[in-house]
Amino acid sequence: MDGRRLSRIGLALLSLSAFLILWQAIVWVGGYPTFVLPSPVAVASRWGRLLVSGTLWLHVKVTLTEVLIGLGLGTVIATFLGYLLAHSPLAEQVLAPFIVASQSVPTVAIAPLLVIWFGTGILSKILVCALIVFFPILVNTVVGLRSVGRDLWDLMRTLEAGRWQMIWMLEVPAALPTLLGGLKVGATLAVIGAIVGEFVAADRGLGYLLKQGQQVYDTPQVFVGIGTLVILAQVLYGIVAFAERALLRWREADA
């Protein structure tokens, strides 16, 4: 591990420590009751009890399943449609107004309809996740495919490359950086989508845990749910960022 990475980790830990100290000081000075603003100690205690009892793991497992399947589904559909829109002006004219219109309606307004149509089970939450990640990945796919230079197309035709060779040797490498950029955004948005769906109707998941804590004024539990969501989003973002570095290592070699 190089010195630069160690310094970044040290700075992150220092910032986190300063935040926790400031938080604890605000609770002490303000004398806030736990149901208004719990101390970091109270939140950590609640976090530990939920972990030991297995309750938190159960809710994390449900939400993570919704996020991963929804992210995968949204990515596949967005990539396919993005390829179609990038290569077919007719498809863009026909589909673009509907795609843009679908993004003008807040997901929180669509989620109740999906629950009505597909039930209160995991399917409706998966669809909410897929819907919320769809647009950024679609846009990045189109931008990436359209960034291929005309000279590269001419070169591949001169070499008599076939359709699949064009895709795997030209279009995929060209679109991969922007596609992975959209996937990093989608990974965090998928977590939001799962929580929105669970807020509407659910009996398990981190969204349900948050809602349950709010209803009984168990504010430490609410903070636990929020903190777990932050960690989950950070982990997913980090996985995509790691994949991005691994898949795009060839760019550093060419630089």
Side-chain angles (χ1 to χ4, degrees):
M1 187 178 292
D2 56 25
R4 184 179 301 178
R5 183 172 299 178
L6 283 173
S7 64
R8 286 202 300 264
I9 294 174
L11 182 59
L13 292 175
L14 182 62
S15 300
L16 179 60
S17 300
F19 171 74
L20 292 175
I21 292 172
L22 178 61
W23 177 4
Q24 184 69 60
I26 291 173
V27 174
W28 277 343
V29 173
Y32 298 106
T34 302
F35 73 89
V36 174
L37 181 62
S39 67
V41 175
V43 174
S45 176
R46 190 76 175 93
W47 213 324
R49 292 199 302 271
L50 287 171
L51 282 171
V52 170
S53 67
T55 302
L56 186 59
W57 296 115
L58 171 65
H59 294 301
V60 168
K61 180 180 178 181
V62 172
T63 300
L64 184 60
T65 301
E66 296 165 355
V67 168
L68 293 179
I69 298 177
L71 179 61
L73 178 63
T75 300
V76 170
I77 296 175
T79 304
F80 174 77
L81 280 181
Y83 188 87
L84 181 63
L85 295 178
H87 289 83
S88 173
L90 177 60
E92 183 178 15
Q93 292 175 5
V94 173
L95 297 177
F98 295 99
I99 294 172
V100 174
S102 70
Q103 297 304 306
S104 64
V105 181
T107 306
V108 69
I110 299 177
L113 289 175
L114 295 177
V115 170
I116 292 172
W117 293 338
F118 299 100
T120 59
I122 192 173
L123 179 58
S124 58
K125 284 73 173 180
I126 290 173
L127 293 177
V128 174
C129 291
L131 182 63
I132 202 170
V133 307
F134 169 78
F135 192 69
I137 296 177
L138 172 74
V139 171
N140 280 35
T141 300
V142 174
V143 170
L145 290 171
R146 288 180 175 173
S147 67
V148 181
R150 180 54 56 185
D151 54 339
L152 293 177
W153 282 106
D154 293 339
L155 176 61
M156 294 295 286
R157 292 191 183 98
T158 301
L159 296 174
E160 298 182 351
R163 181 67 249 175
W164 285 107
Q165 289 176 312
M166 289 278 197
I167 292 174
W168 291 110
M169 300 177 66
L170 178 60
E171 294 182 301
V172 170
L176 199 56
T178 52
L179 175 60
L180 289 171
L183 192 58
K184 286 195 289 187
V185 176
T188 55
L189 289 178
V191 176
I192 298 175
I195 299 307
V196 169
E198 290 170 357
F199 264 31
V200 175
D203 59 359
R204 63 188 66 186
L206 291 174
Y208 172 76
L209 187 72
L210 284 167
K211 195 172 181 180
Q212 185 185 51
Q214 175 206 357
Q215 291 172 343
V216 298
Y217 290 93
D218 187 352
T219 310
Q221 179 171 302
V222 175
F223 272 77
V224 170
I226 294 172
T228 305
L229 287 173
V230 171
I231 294 173
L232 185 59
Q234 290 281 356
V235 169
L236 292 174
Y237 183 92
I239 291 173
V240 179
F242 177 80
E244 181 182 40
R245 288 194 297 270
L247 292 172
L248 300 182
R249 193 167 295 166
W250 57 271
R251 298 180 72 191
E252 298 177 1
D254 291 342

